[in-house]
Amino acid sequence: MPIKHAALKQIRKDRDRQRRNEAIRSELKTVTKRLLALLSQQKLEDARALIRVVASRYDRAASKGVIHRNTAARSTSRLMRRLTRSATAK
C-alpha cells in the first residue's frame, strides 16, 4: 500500500475514472444491444431513431477517452451498415 499522500490520491482518482469508464462502456453495450434487437425485429423506424443516439454515445465515449476514436468510428460504421442492409433486405 502506498504511503505518500499523492499516491493515495492517485489511487482514488483511478478508481473514480474506472467506475466512470465501466458505466460508459456498459451503456454503450446496452444501447447497441437495443439497436440490434430492433433490427432483428425489423422495426426500422425505431432503429433509425436509435442509431443517432448510439452514434452520439460512441462519439462521446471516444471524446472522453473511454474508447479509442477509431473504435468508435468502426462500431458506428458497422451498425449503420447493418441498418442499411436491413432496410434494403426488406
Side-chain angles (χ1 to χ4, degrees), residues 30-72:
T30 302
V31 293
T32 302
K33 286 178 186 176
R34 195 179 310 151
L35 177 65
L36 294 176
L38 288 174
L39 290 175
S40 68
Q41 297 168 5
Q42 292 294 318
K43 296 183 178 181
L44 297 179
E45 292 303 317
D46 295 335
R48 283 191 187 103
L50 187 60
I51 191 74
R52 291 190 193 110
V53 174
V54 173
S56 172
R57 299 276 166 82
Y58 270 103
D59 291 341
R60 190 177 307 153
S63 71
K64 289 183 178 182
V66 177
I67 58 174
H68 194 271
R69 60 188 169 93
N70 290 351
T71 303

Side-chain angles (χ1 to χ4, degrees), residues 1 4 11 13 15 17 25 28-30 40 47 54 61-62 66-67 69 73 77 79 83 87 89:
M1 193 72 194
K4 295 193 179 213
I11 288 172
K13 285 167 53 178
R15 284 190 190 136
R17 288 182 186 133
R25 281 194 192 100
L28 287 176
K29 290 176 191 176
T30 302
S40 68
V54 173
V66 177
I67 58 174
R69 60 188 169 93
S77 175
L79 291 170
L83 176 63

